Amino acid sequence: MSTRFEHDDDGVLVIIGSGAGGGTLAHALARKGIKSVVLEAGKRYALEDIENDEWAMFEKISWLDERITAGPRQLSETFPNLPAWIVKGVGGSTIHWAGVALRFQPHEFRLHSEVGDIAGANLLDWPISYEELEPYYVQAERHMGVTGDASGMPLHDWNNNFMVLAEGARRVGYEKLRAGPMAINTRPYDDRPQCMQAGFCMQGCRFGAKWSTMYTDIPRAEATGYCEVRPNAMALTIEHDERGRVNAVVYADAEGNLQRQRARAVCVAGNSIESPRLLLNSHSALFPDGLANSSGQVGRNYMTHATACVFAEMPKPVNMHRGTTFAGIISDEARLDRSRGFVGGYTLEVMSLGLPFFAKFMDPANGGWGRDYAAILEKYDHLSGVWICGEDLPMEENGITLHDSRKDQYGLPVPIVYKGDHPNDEALRRHGQQQARSCYEAVGAVRVFDVPDFPTSHNVGTNRMSARPEDGVVNQWGQAHDIDNLFVSDGSQFTSSGAENPTLTIVALALRQADHIAERMSRGEL
Amino acid sequence: MPLAIGTTLSRRRFLTLTGVLAAGSLALSASTLWPRWARAEPELATRLLRLGRDIYPHEAIADRYYLAPLTPLLGEQRELIAAGLDDLDRRARAAHGRDYAAVDSAAEREALLRQIEDGEFFQAVRNTLVVGLYDTPELWQAHFGYEGSSWEQGGYVGRGYNDLVIDWL
């Protein structure tokens, strides 16, 4: 905890962000004896700060700085300043994530090769294969404590919410029904306790049973003496020398004073809105369009997953709020099968919301009120819900840009987050809604209703990986094509979104990147 | 948030705006538990209450649970609320010949509200209520079957997270 590096120490790596990417990377590097300073925009929280209270935690940990939701989707009207639901705090969105730890499927790394060009989509293969990433998936699963083979922990028992959905799913012919894999301990593992089935996974795990860098990687990195984490440190620009190599990060500290941290290399891990925003804001005479942006792809290809929710009222109480929030997964539709009328697949993930959030999110549009609305809420304990996590195609026009004149409290241009749906996304969503409806009807639902998607927690793709520099921002190691000591270490490097939750893949990529950085340092290249 | 409303204004409003309260005497009977502003201005409170109860109708929930979350709104956007209620009464009189609260049919009142649901006044009330009303722990268990915070009791391990029997098929 006590390690302090000087601002003019140019031997440190500067890592921006402390979540799944940045936190994992800092820890992995520290264990190799590589020094880093982690700049985290948010505060540091203790386990005691975590409450089982939806609105209190929303107010406490969410990233609520000004953002503009743009694009032809309902979210632009219902949440005009909250395009994404992510965390500002040490640990980042690993405080908020629900623990679903699925690997991408092999074909998802080469979607373009599989399906060819699709009009309106900016498809590209990853420059890395599943086979190359697989050892790091195993490492990530052990590291995080993912239930299943890698950790040896059994999967969770099915909770009531999943029992309902799974029974319906079986009756419509689905077979791939599992209560996991999840990075939520089913028995003590890695000095953390087992899950108490408290619910409130997305408000932060009060027990520390769910993996989060907040109480694993970050304190462990600090304990090595090789890592200093600076909370309340908002990165504003990355600076470079006359040769175009990055050499410092300017940030605002807790008092709002500007500081400059010298850097041997910089790793950007601020999630898919903040990371491109920082690169774009770091424009210079040498890089007039922003850092690492010779391709023009910084901030583009923003993907959120094609999602929707379906809820159903059952004849008897389900008590969906008891137990883990995302308690079970149906993977039958995750395959690539163009006969369904769309490319890419989706997973169906059983989910719950507490009454306070459900009342707000059931229909956040202006019409979300009235006798029927209240009648559904009176049946809250009879509800079961499912969330569709579907492949969202990259589109060049979806992305992050900087507002011309509006600035936030740090003086940074406010990000505009533009997202529209590809017709493929819409077809996939409709299919998922229909299948979810069929599942619930098969298990005797009294009524089934669609719930619009919320501000997104899965934000990927805005600094994408590519084999060729002209197609993307970073190479297969997350290293910028244009600047050899600048890295992207979060979900923004995803080339495609897959049908799976992104966190496990972010962690696997960060572990792999740590090996790569260490190797290049040992060769004297960094 | 406690709200200081000038008592002079409240009394004057109460005295000058009488004769509106179709349901007023009924509501007043339980009004000792109302927030301070509502006790000071029962006429305003009663009109707002009718609106709130039409937006999220739960017959068994007491009036004070609708009024309490609306308290900050009265502090921050008082004029918007007063003007909005007046407008609603004008619409009700035009359509039904009486003030909004005096329209007997819930369906007719809902129809009036659908006309204004995109407006700033209606959304201010709705947005305040949808967060405040349903974030009231005293109401959760009895009215919705929601149990709230569980970590203090060790979560739901051994307390019914996986005890469902699907016996209705």
Side-chain angles (χ1 to χ4, degrees), chain A residues 165 172 174 308-310 333 342 346 348 386 388 426-442 448-450:
Chain A
L165 179 69
V172 303
Y174 285 154
C309 294
V310 175
E333 301 285 1
F342 53 88
Y346 61 88
L348 292 168
V386 61
I388 298 158
E426 292 166 5
L428 182 151
R429 179 183 291 115
R430 276 195 303 274
H431 193 273
Q433 285 170 323
Q434 182 52 50
Q435 292 306 108
R437 176 175 292 273
S438 298
C439 291
Y440 280 128
E441 286 172 348
V448 184
F449 50 96
D450 296 333

Side-chain angles (χ1 to χ4, degrees), chain A residues 119-137:
Chain A
N122 195 17
L123 287 182
L124 188 70
D125 289 352
W126 293 56
I128 173 178
S129 68
Y130 176 85
E131 290 69 27
E132 286 169 273
L133 196 56
E134 189 175 27
Y136 290 96
Y137 270 137

Side-chain angles (χ1 to χ4, degrees), chain B residues 136-152:
Chain B
T136 308
E138 304 98 277
L139 301 177
W140 287 343
Q141 182 82 54
H143 295 278
F144 305 101
Y146 177 58
E147 296 164 284
S149 183
S150 75
W151 72 267
E152 304 91 332

